[in-house]
Amino acid sequence: MTEALAERLLDLHCRLLTLYIIQDADSLHWESAHPFFESERGSYTIQMWWLYMQGTKQDLWNSVPPTMAQRVFAGMLNETLTVLTVRYTQTVPSRARSMLLLVDISNVLLCVGELLPAICANGEAFVGLNLPNQSKIIRDIHAKCQELFCCLLLRGISLGNLYKITKKGVHGGIAMFNQRQGLIVPWTIFVMPRLFPANQNAHWAARCSELPTSTAISLELKVLLAAPQANWWLLLKVLLMREAHLSSLIFHHLIRNLPSCDNFIPSSKQPSVSRDCLSKKCEGFLCGLECNDIVQWALEQNDPIGQSNYQVLMGLTYIVIMAGKTSDINKTLISALEKSKMNDWASCLDRRQVWNQKRPPWLEAILHLIYPILGPIVHMLVSAVQTTASMYQAMSLSLSCFSEMWDCIPDCFYTVTNCLSEILPAEIRPLGDSVLIQLLYIALYSKLLEVAETEAEVEAKADRQHASAGGPNASSSSGAA
């Protein structure tokens, strides 16, 4: 049923495009002796094709399941590109209309450069690297765009230069006409010249790893942002590729634009912990309401931009620590802390700040690594205190519990605490002179507060229910008296 619906949808859009949108009954008067609009614009056909493709893509993204939407859009792009390629490679315009041909071909290539990332799986497919292993539609689109690009070169080059080239032979004179097996397809270099500067020889790359860092990340970002739904594995790849270069840039920028310490949200009221503070759920297409509108939450705070930066930095810290290497942590979190203008960044690691629930985002993210394992420890401590255990006995019990659950702590937690210990200022004294112990007890204190608040809420709710249940009885008994 789904396949049949996709085929019907693709057939409908292809018919509309070929019969109405890119239909050119008058052939744009290619033999006319007068230039088209004084050579000041391209044809209406390409403009309407671009607008229709953009609008249809938005409609598909918002109304059709992602995989089906990409398949339908890829078919539309491939079918219409076939018509346009045949039309413009076989057209013989007059001298006055030759400029229109060049403008239209250039516009088609530029439009495809913007539309193609929406149907690609990664940056390699976008620029034609490892092309034999890509899907058939991707190979077809690159082949047709290359035909248009060759047509653009031959039609747009001056006669003098064309004569010099043809004397050497077309394939010997222009490397662009060769197959360039395994290399980036030339038309993508034409439509994205800023990503392929001549001084970096990026156009000779045979693998994505050979591209410059900025080019490789930009290509992956284009594909990521054009996808119909969140592509989590590609997002993780972009954040951690090239020694976490993009994450490092984000860290160094956002850590200087956080809200003031007084505006830090307490740990128990963070949207990642307390979903009750979020007034609005996500309303995205096919969303099961499992995600939350953090942007709307931030707008309700005193410093919306700072709070948004706080949440981004907290999430990014968690990702880098959980999925990155030690070098990634050093180049992102550690480097940003060392180079930040905040002289008191390490004050939260002092033993006197264990109780403080207003923490910087990177510390809150680290604590989320150990929150899941603290449930049994909190339960044992609460039970011990209820049986009249002293403070020293509770502390000893907590140390024993941590030693028993040592293997449950993620390895990345040890890694990040070691990295923080290496840059800790001399005036900061954590518990036991250990950042690891300091963080364990900060997290434990937060969990104990959370349990206390939960029990208080349960008791208050029970009291209200008891009062509401006893209210009518009390009034009736007083009336009887």
Side-chain angles (χ1 to χ4, degrees):
M1 184 66 180
T2 304
E3 294 295 330
L5 177 61
E7 291 297 328
R8 293 294 299 273
L9 194 59
L10 175 60
D11 182 66
L12 170 65
H13 284 294
C14 287
R15 285 176 180 272
L16 288 174
L17 281 164
T18 54
L19 295 178
Y20 298 101
I21 304 300
I22 60 175
Q23 175 67 18
D24 185 16
D26 298 329
S27 299
L28 287 175
H29 301 286
W30 290 111
E31 298 179 355
S32 174
H34 302 285
F36 184 76
F37 273 85
E38 303 297 332
S39 298
E40 292 182 353
R41 59 161 296 146
S43 65
Y44 293 113
T45 303
I46 304 304
Q47 182 182 8
M48 296 308 298
W49 171 71
W50 161 252
L51 293 175
Y52 187 90
M53 294 295 290
Q54 282 284 80
T56 305
K57 184 183 77 169
Q58 192 67 27
D59 292 340
L60 289 172
W61 271 212
N62 293 330
S63 59
V64 180
T67 305
M68 182 191 297
Q70 280 187 309
R71 187 164 68 250
V72 171
F73 188 72
M76 291 169 53
L77 182 59
N78 191 31
E79 291 295 327
T80 53
L81 200 55
T82 300
V83 177
L84 295 175
T85 302
V86 172
R87 176 184 299 172
Y88 285 105
T89 54
Q90 296 183 1
T91 297
V92 182
S94 64
R95 184 169 184 175
R97 293 287 171 116
S98 60
M99 185 60 68
L100 176 63
L101 179 70
L102 301 180
V103 171
D104 279 359
I105 294 177
S106 300
N107 286 338
V108 169
L109 292 176
L110 291 172
C111 291
V112 175
E114 294 294 326
L115 298 173
L116 186 57
I119 61 174
C120 293
N122 49 45
E124 287 189 349
F126 181 26
V127 296
L129 287 173
N130 197 18
L131 201 55
N133 294 328
Q134 305 298 340
S135 65
K136 182 178 183 299
I137 286 185
I138 296 295
R139 296 198 304 269
D140 289 347
I141 291 175
H142 278 298
K144 292 163 188 174
C145 289
Q146 186 62 20
E147 287 293 322
L148 287 172
F149 183 57
C150 293
C151 178
L152 176 66
L153 291 178
L154 292 176
R155 297 288 184 94
I157 195 172
S158 63
L159 289 177
N161 290 329
L162 182 61
Y163 173 73
K164 294 177 182 178
I165 291 172
T166 52
K167 283 183 65 177
K168 301 177 182 178
V170 174
H171 293 285
I174 303 180
M176 292 290 186
F177 294 110
N178 295 331
Q179 292 296 320
R180 288 171 53 94
Q181 291 292 338
L183 300 180
I184 297 174
V185 288
W187 76 269
T188 58
I189 302 174
F190 168 73
V191 300
M192 296 179 291
R194 292 185 179 181
L195 294 183
F196 301 97
N199 59 346
Q200 295 183 5
N201 293 325
H203 52 284
W204 294 112
R207 294 186 299 273
C208 193
S209 58
E210 298 176 3
L211 291 171
T213 298
S214 58
T215 301
I217 294 177
S218 298
L219 293 176
E220 300 292 351
L221 275 177
K222 281 180 173 289
V223 174
L224 177 65
L225 296 176
Q229 66 175 354
N231 191 335
W232 302 118
W233 70 265
L234 185 56
L235 175 61
L236 188 62
K237 174 185 176 182
V238 171
L239 291 176
L240 298 180
M241 68 185 298
R242 305 300 177 96
E243 301 294 332
H245 179 76
L246 181 61
S247 297
S248 178
L249 295 178
I250 297 174
F251 258 102
H252 285 79
H253 174 69
L254 293 187
I255 206 165
R256 296 192 297 267
N257 296 277
L258 292 174
S260 62
C261 298
D262 296 335
N263 290 329
F264 282 168
I265 304 298
S267 175
S268 59
K269 296 182 180 179
Q270 287 289 339
S272 57
V273 176
S274 175
R275 302 299 177 92
D276 297 333
C277 65
L278 297 165
S279 59
K280 184 180 179 181
K281 291 287 187 178
C282 174
E283 298 178 355
F285 176 65
L286 291 181
C287 179
L289 299 181
E290 68 273 7
C291 53
N292 300 286
D293 195 344
I294 301 295
V295 175
Q296 182 64 32
W297 171 85
L299 291 175
E300 298 170 358
Q301 308 303 316
N302 294 331
D303 184 5
I305 297 177
Q307 295 299 340
S308 297
N309 294 344
Y310 186 103
Q311 298 300 319
V312 171
L313 197 59
M314 183 170 66
L316 185 58
T317 303
Y318 188 85
I319 290 174
V320 171
I321 294 174
M322 283 292 290
K325 302 174 293 185
T326 304
S327 59
D328 296 334
I329 298 175
N330 286 323
K331 290 186 178 181
T332 53
L333 173 62
I334 305 302
S335 175
L337 290 176
E338 285 185 312
K339 296 179 181 179
S340 67
K341 298 179 180 179
M342 300 182 299
N343 297 325
D344 59 342
W345 67 266
S347 60
C348 57
L349 298 178
D350 191 83
R351 64 179 65 188
R352 293 168 295 183
Q353 298 295 321
V354 172
W355 57 269
N356 194 348
Q357 297 300 295
K358 293 186 176 182
R359 311 182 185 110
W362 56 269
L363 178 57
E364 192 66 40
I366 296 173
L367 297 180
H368 275 72
L369 299 173
I370 51 178
Y371 280 153
I373 70 169
L374 295 180
I377 300 178
V378 171
H379 178 72
M380 293 183 66
L381 290 177
V382 171
S383 300
V385 172
Q386 290 175 347
T387 56
T388 67
S390 65
M391 181 63 67
Y392 294 102
Q393 290 174 333
M395 183 66 72
S396 177
L397 178 60
S398 65
L399 288 173
S400 300
C401 291
F402 279 129
S403 63
E404 292 293 333
M405 301 186 67
W406 213 248
D407 293 336
C408 299
I409 299 176
D411 292 338
C412 56
F413 182 74
Y414 301 118
T415 302
V416 70
T417 53
N418 289 334
C419 294
L420 289 172
S421 300
E422 293 177 359
I423 63 169
L424 196 67
E427 65 272 13
I428 301 299
R429 298 292 300 275
L431 283 176
D433 291 329
S434 170
V435 175
L436 188 145
I437 295 178
Q438 172 85 10
L439 296 183
L440 288 176
Y441 277 95
I442 289 177
L444 181 60
Y445 186 80
S446 296
K447 280 297 180 181
L448 288 172
L449 286 179
E450 182 181 335
V451 170
E453 291 176 359
T454 303
E455 291 182 354
E457 291 176 359
V458 171
E459 291 179 359
K461 184 178 180 180
D463 292 340
R464 288 194 299 268
Q465 291 177 349
H466 180 71
S468 61
N473 296 333
S475 60
S476 61
S477 61
S478 61

